[in-house]
Short mmCIF file of all heavy atoms in Angstrom, two decimals:
data_model
loop_
_atom_site.label_atom_id
_atom_site.label_comp_id
_atom_site.label_asym_id
_atom_site.label_seq_id
_atom_site.Cartn_x
_atom_site.Cartn_y
_atom_site.Cartn_z
N MET A 127 -86.77 151.47 45.94
CA MET A 127 -85.50 152.07 46.33
C MET A 127 -85.57 153.59 45.91
O MET A 127 -86.01 153.76 44.65
CB MET A 127 -84.33 151.43 45.68
CG MET A 127 -83.03 151.98 46.06
SD MET A 127 -81.58 150.94 45.87
CE MET A 127 -82.09 149.95 44.44
N SER A 128 -85.35 154.58 46.63
CA SER A 128 -85.56 155.88 46.25
C SER A 128 -84.18 156.63 46.03
O SER A 128 -83.28 156.31 46.80
CB SER A 128 -86.44 156.71 47.26
OG SER A 128 -85.65 156.81 48.39
N HIS A 129 -84.14 157.42 45.04
CA HIS A 129 -82.91 157.95 44.79
C HIS A 129 -82.81 159.43 45.36
O HIS A 129 -83.85 160.24 45.18
CB HIS A 129 -82.68 158.22 43.18
CG HIS A 129 -82.37 156.92 42.51
ND1 HIS A 129 -83.14 156.39 41.54
CD2 HIS A 129 -81.46 155.92 42.86
CE1 HIS A 129 -82.66 155.27 41.07
NE2 HIS A 129 -81.76 154.93 41.93
N VAL A 130 -81.76 159.66 46.12
CA VAL A 130 -81.61 161.10 46.61
C VAL A 130 -81.25 162.03 45.62
O VAL A 130 -81.75 163.11 45.30
CB VAL A 130 -80.74 161.14 47.86
CG1 VAL A 130 -80.30 162.45 48.30
CG2 VAL A 130 -81.39 160.26 49.02
N CYS A 131 -80.16 161.51 44.92
CA CYS A 131 -79.57 162.28 43.78
C CYS A 131 -80.24 161.79 42.50
O CYS A 131 -79.75 160.77 42.04
CB CYS A 131 -78.10 162.19 43.79
SG CYS A 131 -77.33 163.19 42.38
N LEU A 132 -81.20 162.48 42.02
CA LEU A 132 -81.86 161.94 40.81
C LEU A 132 -80.97 161.91 39.48
O LEU A 132 -81.09 161.02 38.71
CB LEU A 132 -83.13 162.89 40.45
CG LEU A 132 -84.14 162.89 41.65
CD1 LEU A 132 -85.24 163.97 41.44
CD2 LEU A 132 -84.66 161.54 42.05
N CYS A 133 -80.12 163.02 39.41
CA CYS A 133 -79.30 163.11 38.22
C CYS A 133 -78.38 161.81 38.09
O CYS A 133 -78.07 161.31 37.11
CB CYS A 133 -78.44 164.31 38.28
SG CYS A 133 -79.27 165.88 38.12
N ARG A 134 -77.81 161.47 39.29
CA ARG A 134 -76.78 160.41 39.19
C ARG A 134 -77.31 159.10 39.77
O ARG A 134 -76.52 158.11 39.99
CB ARG A 134 -75.51 160.84 40.14
CG ARG A 134 -74.77 162.10 39.54
CD ARG A 134 -74.24 161.97 38.11
NE ARG A 134 -73.24 160.97 38.08
CZ ARG A 134 -71.98 161.10 38.27
NH1 ARG A 134 -71.61 162.39 38.61
NH2 ARG A 134 -71.16 160.26 38.24
N LYS A 135 -78.60 158.98 40.07
CA LYS A 135 -79.23 157.80 40.59
C LYS A 135 -78.54 157.22 41.85
O LYS A 135 -78.11 156.11 41.89
CB LYS A 135 -79.40 156.80 39.48
CG LYS A 135 -80.17 157.27 38.42
CD LYS A 135 -80.43 156.04 37.40
CE LYS A 135 -81.56 156.39 36.38
NZ LYS A 135 -81.14 157.46 35.55
N ILE A 136 -78.36 158.02 42.87
CA ILE A 136 -77.63 157.67 44.05
C ILE A 136 -78.61 157.64 45.20
O ILE A 136 -79.47 158.49 45.39
CB ILE A 136 -76.47 158.68 44.50
CG1 ILE A 136 -75.62 159.11 43.32
CG2 ILE A 136 -75.77 158.21 45.71
CD1 ILE A 136 -74.66 157.92 42.79
N THR A 137 -78.62 156.41 45.86
CA THR A 137 -79.54 156.21 46.91
C THR A 137 -79.20 156.79 48.24
O THR A 137 -78.00 157.03 48.42
CB THR A 137 -79.82 154.61 47.01
OG1 THR A 137 -78.61 154.06 47.47
CG2 THR A 137 -80.33 153.98 45.87
N ALA A 138 -80.20 156.86 49.20
CA ALA A 138 -79.85 157.25 50.52
C ALA A 138 -78.87 156.31 51.21
O ALA A 138 -77.91 156.76 51.99
CB ALA A 138 -81.15 157.33 51.31
N GLU A 139 -79.00 155.03 50.82
CA GLU A 139 -78.14 153.97 51.48
C GLU A 139 -76.63 154.28 51.05
O GLU A 139 -75.79 154.16 51.83
CB GLU A 139 -78.51 152.63 50.93
CG GLU A 139 -79.78 152.11 51.66
CD GLU A 139 -81.03 152.68 51.08
OE1 GLU A 139 -81.05 153.34 49.94
OE2 GLU A 139 -82.08 152.62 51.70
N LYS A 140 -76.46 154.59 49.99
CA LYS A 140 -75.09 154.89 49.37
C LYS A 140 -74.52 156.19 50.16
O LYS A 140 -73.33 156.20 50.54
CB LYS A 140 -75.18 155.33 47.89
CG LYS A 140 -74.78 154.09 46.99
CD LYS A 140 -73.20 154.10 46.76
CE LYS A 140 -72.81 152.87 45.94
NZ LYS A 140 -71.77 152.29 46.44
N ILE A 141 -75.32 157.06 50.32
CA ILE A 141 -74.87 158.31 50.97
C ILE A 141 -74.65 158.07 52.43
O ILE A 141 -73.62 158.48 52.97
CB ILE A 141 -75.89 159.42 50.79
CG1 ILE A 141 -75.95 159.82 49.32
CG2 ILE A 141 -75.62 160.70 51.68
CD1 ILE A 141 -77.11 160.76 48.86
N GLU A 142 -75.52 157.28 53.12
CA GLU A 142 -75.29 156.91 54.51
C GLU A 142 -73.90 156.24 54.68
O GLU A 142 -73.14 156.34 55.63
CB GLU A 142 -76.46 155.97 54.98
CG GLU A 142 -77.74 156.94 55.32
CD GLU A 142 -79.03 156.08 55.38
OE1 GLU A 142 -78.89 154.81 55.52
OE2 GLU A 142 -80.03 156.59 55.40
N GLU A 143 -73.67 155.28 53.70
CA GLU A 143 -72.48 154.53 53.77
C GLU A 143 -71.26 155.32 53.73
O GLU A 143 -70.36 155.34 54.49
CB GLU A 143 -72.54 153.55 52.63
CG GLU A 143 -71.43 152.46 52.60
CD GLU A 143 -71.55 151.62 51.45
OE1 GLU A 143 -72.61 151.21 51.03
OE2 GLU A 143 -70.57 151.39 50.65
N ALA A 144 -71.34 156.45 52.75
CA ALA A 144 -70.27 157.40 52.53
C ALA A 144 -69.98 158.17 53.95
O ALA A 144 -68.86 158.37 54.31
CB ALA A 144 -70.47 158.31 51.44
N VAL A 145 -71.11 158.56 54.51
CA VAL A 145 -71.00 159.32 55.79
C VAL A 145 -70.33 158.45 56.93
O VAL A 145 -69.42 158.85 57.78
CB VAL A 145 -72.47 159.72 56.30
CG1 VAL A 145 -72.36 160.37 57.61
CG2 VAL A 145 -72.92 160.85 55.29
N LYS A 146 -70.80 157.12 56.98
CA LYS A 146 -70.25 156.24 57.91
C LYS A 146 -68.80 156.03 57.68
O LYS A 146 -67.92 155.84 58.62
CB LYS A 146 -71.01 154.83 57.91
CG LYS A 146 -72.25 155.02 58.61
CD LYS A 146 -72.97 153.59 58.81
CE LYS A 146 -74.43 153.88 59.28
NZ LYS A 146 -75.47 153.47 58.28
N ASN A 147 -68.36 156.06 56.41
CA ASN A 147 -66.94 155.98 56.10
C ASN A 147 -66.20 157.33 56.19
O ASN A 147 -65.00 157.27 55.90
CB ASN A 147 -66.85 155.42 54.63
CG ASN A 147 -67.16 153.98 54.61
OD1 ASN A 147 -67.17 153.19 55.54
ND2 ASN A 147 -67.67 153.46 53.31
N GLY A 148 -66.82 158.26 56.67
CA GLY A 148 -65.96 159.53 57.03
C GLY A 148 -66.33 160.78 56.31
O GLY A 148 -65.82 161.83 56.73
N ALA A 149 -67.25 160.74 55.41
CA ALA A 149 -67.62 162.00 54.57
C ALA A 149 -68.40 162.94 55.55
O ALA A 149 -69.37 162.42 56.12
CB ALA A 149 -68.43 161.66 53.34
N LYS A 150 -68.03 164.12 55.68
CA LYS A 150 -68.72 165.00 56.75
C LYS A 150 -69.28 166.29 56.13
O LYS A 150 -70.04 167.03 56.79
CB LYS A 150 -67.84 165.52 57.82
CG LYS A 150 -67.10 164.27 58.69
CD LYS A 150 -66.18 164.99 59.65
CE LYS A 150 -65.45 163.85 60.42
NZ LYS A 150 -64.62 163.00 59.62
N THR A 151 -69.21 166.42 54.83
CA THR A 151 -69.70 167.61 54.06
C THR A 151 -70.28 167.10 52.91
O THR A 151 -70.12 166.17 52.32
CB THR A 151 -68.52 168.65 53.93
OG1 THR A 151 -67.65 168.11 52.96
CG2 THR A 151 -67.88 168.98 55.18
N PHE A 152 -71.19 168.06 52.28
CA PHE A 152 -71.67 167.81 50.93
C PHE A 152 -70.54 167.40 49.88
O PHE A 152 -70.69 166.49 49.13
CB PHE A 152 -72.49 169.03 50.55
CG PHE A 152 -72.90 169.04 49.04
CD1 PHE A 152 -73.88 168.13 48.74
CD2 PHE A 152 -72.37 169.84 48.13
CE1 PHE A 152 -74.29 168.08 47.32
CE2 PHE A 152 -72.69 169.77 46.87
CZ PHE A 152 -73.81 168.88 46.48
N LEU A 153 -69.52 168.14 50.04
CA LEU A 153 -68.42 167.97 49.04
C LEU A 153 -67.80 166.70 49.11
O LEU A 153 -67.41 166.04 48.09
CB LEU A 153 -67.34 169.21 49.05
CG LEU A 153 -67.85 170.53 48.47
CD1 LEU A 153 -66.75 171.60 48.60
CD2 LEU A 153 -68.19 170.30 47.09
N GLU A 154 -67.70 166.23 50.41
CA GLU A 154 -66.88 164.93 50.69
C GLU A 154 -67.79 163.80 50.25
O GLU A 154 -67.34 162.89 49.70
CB GLU A 154 -66.59 164.80 52.13
CG GLU A 154 -65.42 165.66 52.56
CD GLU A 154 -65.09 165.73 54.11
OE1 GLU A 154 -65.69 164.96 54.76
OE2 GLU A 154 -64.13 166.47 54.36
N VAL A 155 -69.09 163.97 50.39
CA VAL A 155 -70.08 162.92 49.91
C VAL A 155 -70.11 163.00 48.31
O VAL A 155 -70.22 161.94 47.73
CB VAL A 155 -71.52 163.29 50.39
CG1 VAL A 155 -72.57 162.36 49.73
CG2 VAL A 155 -71.64 162.98 51.97
N LYS A 156 -69.98 164.13 47.82
CA LYS A 156 -70.08 164.28 46.31
C LYS A 156 -68.70 163.48 45.84
O LYS A 156 -68.84 162.77 44.90
CB LYS A 156 -69.84 165.75 46.02
CG LYS A 156 -69.86 166.01 44.54
CD LYS A 156 -69.93 167.59 44.25
CE LYS A 156 -69.78 168.02 42.97
NZ LYS A 156 -69.83 169.43 42.74
N ASP A 157 -67.53 163.78 46.48
CA ASP A 157 -66.33 163.13 46.12
C ASP A 157 -66.44 161.60 46.15
O ASP A 157 -65.93 160.83 45.28
CB ASP A 157 -65.16 163.60 46.83
CG ASP A 157 -64.73 164.98 46.34
OD1 ASP A 157 -65.14 165.40 45.25
OD2 ASP A 157 -63.92 165.66 46.96
N ALA A 158 -67.08 161.13 47.29
CA ALA A 158 -67.07 159.71 47.63
C ALA A 158 -68.23 159.00 46.68
O ALA A 158 -67.97 157.77 46.30
CB ALA A 158 -67.44 159.46 49.07
N THR A 159 -69.25 159.62 46.30
CA THR A 159 -70.28 158.94 45.78
C THR A 159 -70.74 159.44 44.34
O THR A 159 -71.45 158.68 43.67
CB THR A 159 -71.64 158.97 46.49
OG1 THR A 159 -72.11 160.33 46.49
CG2 THR A 159 -71.51 158.46 47.97
N GLY A 160 -70.42 160.69 44.00
CA GLY A 160 -70.85 161.24 42.74
C GLY A 160 -72.22 161.95 42.88
O GLY A 160 -72.57 162.66 42.04
N ALA A 161 -72.75 161.80 44.11
CA ALA A 161 -74.06 162.57 44.27
C ALA A 161 -73.81 163.98 44.36
O ALA A 161 -72.94 164.37 45.02
CB ALA A 161 -74.66 161.97 45.60
N GLY A 162 -74.70 164.73 43.62
CA GLY A 162 -74.38 166.24 43.59
C GLY A 162 -73.58 166.64 42.47
O GLY A 162 -73.37 167.73 42.24
N ALA A 163 -73.02 165.66 41.75
CA ALA A 163 -72.25 166.02 40.53
C ALA A 163 -73.06 165.87 39.23
O ALA A 163 -72.30 165.80 38.14
CB ALA A 163 -70.93 165.10 40.52
N GLY A 164 -74.30 165.85 39.25
CA GLY A 164 -75.06 165.75 38.08
C GLY A 164 -75.29 167.02 37.41
O GLY A 164 -74.81 168.11 37.74
N GLY A 165 -76.20 167.00 36.53
CA GLY A 165 -76.60 168.15 35.64
C GLY A 165 -77.16 169.37 36.27
O GLY A 165 -76.97 170.45 35.97
N CYS A 166 -77.89 169.00 37.50
CA CYS A 166 -78.46 170.26 38.22
C CYS A 166 -77.39 170.66 39.22
O CYS A 166 -77.73 171.77 40.02
CB CYS A 166 -79.63 169.74 39.03
SG CYS A 166 -79.40 168.82 40.44
N GLY A 167 -76.19 170.17 39.26
CA GLY A 167 -75.17 170.77 40.25
C GLY A 167 -75.57 170.55 41.70
O GLY A 167 -75.03 171.47 42.52
N GLY A 168 -76.41 169.76 42.03
CA GLY A 168 -76.84 169.51 43.40
C GLY A 168 -78.05 170.31 43.85
O GLY A 168 -78.44 170.28 44.93
N GLY A 169 -78.56 170.99 42.80
CA GLY A 169 -79.68 172.04 43.10
C GLY A 169 -80.90 171.13 43.67
O GLY A 169 -81.55 171.68 44.43
N ARG A 170 -81.00 169.85 43.23
CA ARG A 170 -82.20 169.20 43.63
C ARG A 170 -81.91 168.29 44.81
O ARG A 170 -82.75 167.65 45.54
CB ARG A 170 -82.75 168.17 42.54
CG ARG A 170 -83.39 169.01 41.38
CD ARG A 170 -84.06 168.18 40.44
NE ARG A 170 -82.96 167.40 39.73
CZ ARG A 170 -83.29 166.46 38.70
NH1 ARG A 170 -84.60 166.18 38.50
NH2 ARG A 170 -82.41 165.84 38.13
N CYS A 171 -80.66 167.96 45.10
CA CYS A 171 -80.28 166.95 46.10
C CYS A 171 -79.42 167.36 47.27
O CYS A 171 -79.37 166.85 48.24
CB CYS A 171 -79.61 165.73 45.39
SG CYS A 171 -77.98 166.25 44.60
N ARG A 172 -78.80 168.63 47.15
CA ARG A 172 -77.92 168.98 48.11
C ARG A 172 -78.52 169.10 49.63
O ARG A 172 -78.07 168.59 50.58
CB ARG A 172 -77.36 170.38 47.84
CG ARG A 172 -76.37 170.81 48.83
CD ARG A 172 -75.54 172.09 48.38
NE ARG A 172 -74.72 172.35 49.44
CZ ARG A 172 -73.42 172.86 49.30
NH1 ARG A 172 -73.15 173.41 48.11
NH2 ARG A 172 -72.71 173.25 50.25
N ASN A 173 -79.74 169.69 49.58
CA ASN A 173 -80.43 169.76 51.04
C ASN A 173 -80.61 168.43 51.60
O ASN A 173 -80.37 168.29 52.86
CB ASN A 173 -81.79 170.48 51.02
CG ASN A 173 -81.67 171.94 50.72
OD1 ASN A 173 -80.48 172.49 50.92
ND2 ASN A 173 -82.63 172.65 50.38
N LYS A 174 -81.16 167.52 50.67
CA LYS A 174 -81.39 166.14 51.26
C LYS A 174 -80.11 165.32 51.70
O LYS A 174 -79.94 164.73 52.62
CB LYS A 174 -82.08 165.39 50.14
CG LYS A 174 -82.41 163.98 50.39
CD LYS A 174 -83.65 164.02 51.41
CE LYS A 174 -83.91 162.46 51.85
NZ LYS A 174 -84.75 162.44 53.19
N ILE A 175 -79.08 165.70 50.99
CA ILE A 175 -77.75 165.01 51.23
C ILE A 175 -77.27 165.51 52.68
O ILE A 175 -76.80 164.83 53.50
CB ILE A 175 -76.69 165.27 50.17
CG1 ILE A 175 -77.02 164.45 48.98
CG2 ILE A 175 -75.24 165.06 50.67
CD1 ILE A 175 -76.21 164.89 47.74
N GLU A 176 -77.45 167.02 52.82
CA GLU A 176 -76.90 167.63 54.08
C GLU A 176 -77.76 167.06 55.19
O GLU A 176 -77.24 166.91 56.40
CB GLU A 176 -77.01 169.11 53.92
CG GLU A 176 -75.80 169.46 52.99
CD GLU A 176 -75.81 170.99 52.75
OE1 GLU A 176 -76.79 171.70 52.96
OE2 GLU A 176 -74.76 171.45 52.32
N GLU A 177 -79.01 166.79 54.99
CA GLU A 177 -79.94 166.14 56.00
C GLU A 177 -79.47 164.81 56.47
O GLU A 177 -79.39 164.53 57.66
CB GLU A 177 -81.32 166.15 55.40
CG GLU A 177 -82.37 166.02 56.45
CD GLU A 177 -83.82 165.91 55.73
OE1 GLU A 177 -84.12 166.92 54.86
OE2 GLU A 177 -84.47 164.93 55.82
N ILE A 178 -79.07 163.95 55.46
CA ILE A 178 -78.67 162.65 55.75
C ILE A 178 -77.22 162.72 56.48
O ILE A 178 -77.04 162.00 57.57
CB ILE A 178 -78.33 161.84 54.41
CG1 ILE A 178 -79.74 161.63 53.83
CG2 ILE A 178 -77.65 160.54 54.76
CD1 ILE A 178 -79.63 160.93 52.40
N ILE A 179 -76.37 163.67 56.24
CA ILE A 179 -75.12 163.88 56.95
C ILE A 179 -75.50 164.23 58.45
O ILE A 179 -74.92 163.57 59.38
CB ILE A 179 -74.29 164.93 56.25
CG1 ILE A 179 -73.79 164.63 54.92
CG2 ILE A 179 -73.09 165.32 57.21
CD1 ILE A 179 -73.11 165.62 54.21
N GLU A 180 -76.34 165.13 58.61
CA GLU A 180 -76.79 165.46 59.99
C GLU A 180 -77.27 164.36 60.71
O GLU A 180 -76.90 164.17 61.92
CB GLU A 180 -77.99 166.54 59.94
CG GLU A 180 -77.50 168.01 59.92
CD GLU A 180 -76.47 168.36 60.95
OE1 GLU A 180 -76.63 168.06 62.10
OE2 GLU A 180 -75.42 168.83 60.56
N ASN A 181 -78.19 163.57 60.17
CA ASN A 181 -78.86 162.47 60.85
C ASN A 181 -77.89 161.31 61.12
O ASN A 181 -78.26 160.28 61.83
CB ASN A 181 -80.02 162.00 60.01
CG ASN A 181 -81.11 162.99 59.93
OD1 ASN A 181 -81.09 163.95 60.82
ND2 ASN A 181 -81.99 162.91 58.98
N ASN A 182 -76.66 161.29 60.50
CA ASN A 182 -75.82 160.05 60.54
C ASN A 182 -74.60 160.44 61.17
O ASN A 182 -73.61 159.67 61.17
CB ASN A 182 -75.49 159.52 59.15
CG ASN A 182 -76.74 158.70 58.69
OD1 ASN A 182 -77.15 157.52 59.11
ND2 ASN A 182 -77.64 159.33 57.83
N LYS A 183 -74.45 161.62 61.86
CA LYS A 183 -73.27 161.98 62.58
C LYS A 183 -72.94 161.17 63.76
O LYS A 183 -73.93 160.80 64.46
CB LYS A 183 -73.35 163.54 63.04
CG LYS A 183 -72.82 164.36 61.92
CD LYS A 183 -72.96 165.83 62.41
CE LYS A 183 -72.44 166.84 61.31
NZ LYS A 183 -72.76 168.19 61.73
S1 FES B 256 -80.11 165.51 41.68
FE1 FES B 256 -78.12 165.34 42.48
S2 FES B 256 -76.92 166.51 41.16
FE2 FES B 256 -78.86 166.60 40.31
#
């Protein structure tokens, strides 16, 4: 299992689930999952999260 957000240990599956449940932006995924809310402030995971949002629209 790979973590998209390393700081908060959030998986791609978790993020996909949030997108399916209606999250459409990085901030909405952040609110729903905590991904992007870690120490790096999304510096390491934001691009990957936005890619998952794109691919699951
Ligand atoms: S890797 Fe996601 S907030 Fe740092």
Side-chain angles (χ1 to χ4, degrees):
M127 187 161 31
S128 68
H129 293 126
V130 169
C131 178
L132 303 171
C133 294
R134 301 295 298 272
K135 298 188 169 59
I136 309 292
T137 61
E139 288 74 18
K140 262 275 178 223
I141 293 166
E142 283 164 14
E143 192 183 309
V145 174
K146 283 186 189 117
N147 288 333
K150 293 180 189 67
T151 64
F152 168 72
L153 284 179
E154 286 174 2
V155 169
K156 181 178 173 179
D157 284 346
T159 67
C166 77
R170 292 187 291 175
C171 61
R172 182 171 183 148
N173 285 349
K174 184 72 188 161
I175 290 168
E176 288 177 340
E177 196 181 304
I178 293 172
I179 294 168
E180 267 317 300
N181 294 338
N182 286 278
K183 270 182 181 170

